[in-house]
Amino acid sequence: MAATTESVKADAAEAPLLNKRNLIFAVAIYCVFYAWVRWYEGVYGWSAGLDSFAPEFETYWMNFLYIEFVLEVSTAGILWGYLWKSRDRKVMSITPREELRRHFHHWVWLVAYGVAIYFGASYFTEQDGTWHQTIVRDTDFTPSHVIEFYLSYPVYIITGGGAFLYAKTRLPTYQQGNSIQYMVATVGPFMILPNVGLNEWGHTFWFMEELFVAPLHYGFVFFGWSALGVLGVVNIEVAALAKLLKKDLA
Amino acid sequence: MSASQSAVRSRAEAVKVSRTFDWLICFTLFFVVLGGYHVHFMLVAGDWDFWVDWKDRRLWVTVLPIMAITFPAAVQAVLWWRYRIAFGATLCVMGLLFGEWVNRYFNFWGWTYFPINFVFPSQLIPGAIVLDVILMMSGSMQLTAVLGGLAFGLLFYPSNWPVIAPLHQPVEYNGMVMTLADLTGYHYIRTGMPEYIRMVEKGTLRTFGKDVAPVSAFFSGFVSIIVYVLWHFFGRWFGSTAFTTAS
């Protein structure tokens, strides 16, 4: 009886397997932040974003760009540095319950990566189509690019890097080496950012109309395929969870 | 960790944990696949999908199914072949349409002020359902590739017909005959994409009159078969669980 009471008390004091507050916060923070970004685009895209030689362009768009560069580099440095510095050096000796809890936490990271990828690769990338097919660009740093290439892509890169580092530093499943598909799913979308160099070089070398299916854009397509690496990550996770649960769920 | 110890304390908790992971996996898979599929689709077929005046009887019908069958084939290769989940193609297409509709509404209309009936996305759901059903009923990759791939191409135009038909009505404007879609396009000027790069009704197939769309759909179905097979194997590779060797 006493032992049972102690066990119940221990369960009540134990951290939940899935911290729902973290999950909701992770999704909400991206949605709220990007809602604000979209509002900013709506207000200052047309009023200050059409002529890159105008003083207001410098005020509202170039300054936005400089600020986001600083914030992104510092966020990546602090976040990735923290994850690495606080790594579990005895990761192979954690209890199965703790491992399960960490898998849940890892999935909070992956959910956040899903949301970040959606905004970067889907929402802001297709938005770029309508902006540039409507407005003739006179700079590489158009309002659309300031958000798409230099904000939404770094955000999903930072999130993907965080997910990968979390798995690598805290989960026994990922200690046997580096998962090839996890690297594909994070490094591939990251490569879209360097590919911006090719894109901008091409757009300035050839005075191009904004045809979205132009071969110049195929670098983005190739690296976009790598998002499918998430299928390999799912397979690894399902196998790891089945091993942890050891129950017939049928 | 102990090899014999379970991480859960009861069967009920195991079921709850498993179901929770199902939801987390579905959510993540939906949005990550959506991101990759959408960036692929908009950059290999996007212009035909963005604008009504690009939705012609020839290139739109040919290009879109060929480029759209890629991710469904890859996702089916994992969801069906590993888990016997039969909605891989539909999941992909629903994701793509979600991304497109949100964009067309908030950005094409909300930021650059094009009317929705000028920028709505193409319909792909019927083809995806057929692809999933054929795989589920047959359990055969070859049959799904041949019948499903062909159906995916053939069904595209009929699936879109109810919404596109009114916009393909002929109108006479300043002595010229054009479609209502063309006329809308001339009125909504896209400065960065001038008229001379619009790729519609190219070649001489239009001299066949009414046969343009069926011939294009049949060709599209043929190439979709080949693309399905190719992407099935891409999907298998992406689903691999291999690790690099630890040093």
Side-chain angles (χ1 to χ4, degrees):
Chain A
M1 176 66 192
T4 310
T5 311
E6 284 304 306
S7 165
V8 170
K9 276 184 186 167
D11 280 359
E14 186 189 59
L17 285 173
L18 170 64
N19 188 328
K20 287 181 186 158
R21 209 166 49 179
N22 281 355
L23 180 67
I24 293 165
F25 178 76
V27 175
I29 193 82
Y30 290 96
C31 296
V32 171
F33 174 64
Y34 281 131
W36 174 78
V37 167
R38 177 61 186 78
W39 168 84
Y40 189 94
E41 285 182 318
V43 174
Y44 297 110
W46 288 102
S47 66
L50 301 181
D51 177 4
S52 68
F53 294 92
E56 61 268 24
F57 192 93
E58 183 72 21
T59 305
Y60 290 102
W61 289 104
M62 294 312 288
N63 285 334
F64 195 104
L65 181 73
Y66 304 141
I67 292 167
E68 67 190 19
F69 277 160
V70 173
L71 289 179
E72 284 153 13
V73 171
S74 30
T75 305
I78 292 167
L79 184 67
W80 293 350
Y82 169 77
L83 285 168
W84 180 252
K85 191 77 183 161
S86 61
R87 67 190 179 277
D88 187 347
R89 289 160 201 266
K90 293 177 181 169
V91 67
M92 294 308 285
S93 53
I94 60 174
T95 63
R97 186 121 182 125
E98 175 59 18
E99 189 179 344
L100 183 62
R101 183 175 294 109
R102 290 186 188 183
H103 273 288
F104 268 115
H105 199 74
H106 179 224
W107 273 94
V108 174
W109 273 103
L110 289 172
V111 164
Y113 189 45
V115 176
I117 281 267
Y118 160 69
F119 277 109
S122 171
Y123 187 85
F124 288 110
T125 304
E126 199 179 88
Q127 181 198 63
D128 181 80
T130 189
W131 184 256
H132 284 136
Q133 294 196 342
T134 309
I135 312 295
V136 173
R137 61 171 85 185
D138 66 345
T139 172
D140 293 332
F141 303 109
T142 60
S144 169
H145 282 180
V146 167
I147 303 303
E148 180 205 3
F149 290 155
Y150 307 111
L151 179 69
S152 72
Y153 290 3
V155 165
Y156 77 61
I157 289 166
I158 292 168
T159 313
F164 182 83
L165 271 175
Y166 184 89
K168 190 68 195 158
T169 55
R170 284 152 174 85
L171 286 170
T173 312
Y174 296 93
Q175 300 308 308
Q176 51 181 302
N178 289 318
S179 156
I180 292 172
Q181 291 310 327
Y182 212 142
M183 289 195 291
V184 167
T186 49
V187 178
F190 160 79
M191 286 299 292
I192 288 180
L193 185 60
N195 186 71
V196 169
L198 164 67
N199 185 63
E200 297 311 299
W201 188 90
H203 274 286
T204 49
F205 187 74
W206 300 283
F207 192 84
M208 290 175 64
E209 305 89 353
E210 190 61 42
L211 182 69
F212 242 42
V213 296
L216 178 64
H217 292 154
Y218 292 173
F220 294 122
V221 175
F222 179 76
F223 291 117
W225 295 348
S226 61
L228 283 171
V230 73
L231 295 168
V233 178
V234 167
N235 288 339
I236 291 169
E237 284 288 313
V238 168
L241 293 167
K243 204 168 146 193
L244 278 171
L245 295 182
K246 292 188 182 20
K247 302 277 180 194
D248 179 12
L249 304 179
Chain B
M1 81 175 231
S2 161
S4 58
Q5 210 180 339
S6 172
V8 286
R9 291 171 183 145
S10 64
R11 187 181 176 280
E13 190 183 32
V15 170
K16 193 180 166 197
V17 163
S18 173
R19 297 298 173 266
T20 309
F21 270 114
D22 287 346
W23 283 109
L24 293 171
I25 290 170
C26 270
F27 183 93
T28 306
L29 205 57
F30 182 83
F31 281 102
V32 176
V33 169
L34 186 174
Y37 192 18
H38 197 179
V39 82
H40 155 88
F41 192 69
M42 75 177 80
L43 293 169
V44 292
D47 301 281
W48 286 280
D49 193 60
F50 295 161
W51 313 106
V52 154
D53 61 341
W54 278 69
K55 290 181 167 72
D56 66 337
R57 299 172 302 161
R58 186 168 196 190
L59 285 162
W60 175 54
V61 184
T62 307
V63 175
L64 265 73
I66 293 169
M67 291 301 154
I69 202 169
T70 49
F71 274 57
V75 171
Q76 276 190 339
V78 170
L79 290 193
W80 176 258
W81 294 100
R82 282 185 84 108
Y83 305 110
R84 287 294 183 263
I85 293 173
F87 55 73
T90 310
L91 179 86
C92 288
V93 163
M94 293 289 283
L96 179 67
L97 286 172
F98 173 84
E100 288 180 336
W101 270 109
V102 170
N103 231 289
R104 305 302 160 86
Y105 185 78
F106 285 105
N107 296 321
F108 280 67
W109 179 77
W111 200 22
T112 46
Y113 310 119
F114 294 105
I116 285 291
N117 74 346
F118 186 54
V119 296
F120 60 85
S122 312
Q123 182 55 266
L124 291 160
I125 293 175
I129 291 174
V130 167
L131 210 55
D132 276 335
V133 168
I134 291 176
L135 180 60
M136 187 177 66
M137 302 291 280
S138 69
S140 160
M141 188 274 278
Q142 286 92 336
L143 205 66
T144 309
V146 175
L147 287 184
L150 189 62
F152 197 79
L154 288 175
L155 281 173
F156 178 75
Y157 200 65
S159 310
N160 284 278
W161 180 245
V163 72
I164 205 75
L167 298 159
H168 278 184
Q169 293 302 307
V171 290
E172 188 193 326
Y173 188 68
N174 288 341
M176 295 281 287
V177 176
M178 59 188 77
T179 66
L180 204 55
D182 290 330
L183 184 61
T184 316
Y186 296 142
H187 282 280
Y188 282 93
I189 295 166
R190 289 138 290 171
T191 318
M193 196 200 69
E195 170 61 21
Y196 60 79
I197 60 168
R198 186 160 67 113
M199 283 180 267
V200 290
E201 301 279 349
K202 294 239 177 197
T204 57
L205 186 60
R206 62 191 310 173
T207 58
F208 282 36
K210 67 185 188 307
D211 299 331
V212 177
V215 169
S216 301
F218 198 48
F219 173 51
S220 183
F222 162 63
V223 183
S224 293
I225 295 169
I226 297 164
V227 172
Y228 183 93
V229 174
L230 193 65
W231 276 76
H232 173 84
F233 289 105
F234 281 178
R236 284 193 178 193
W237 183 78
F238 279 116
S240 74
T241 55
F243 280 75
T244 57
T245 315
S247 57

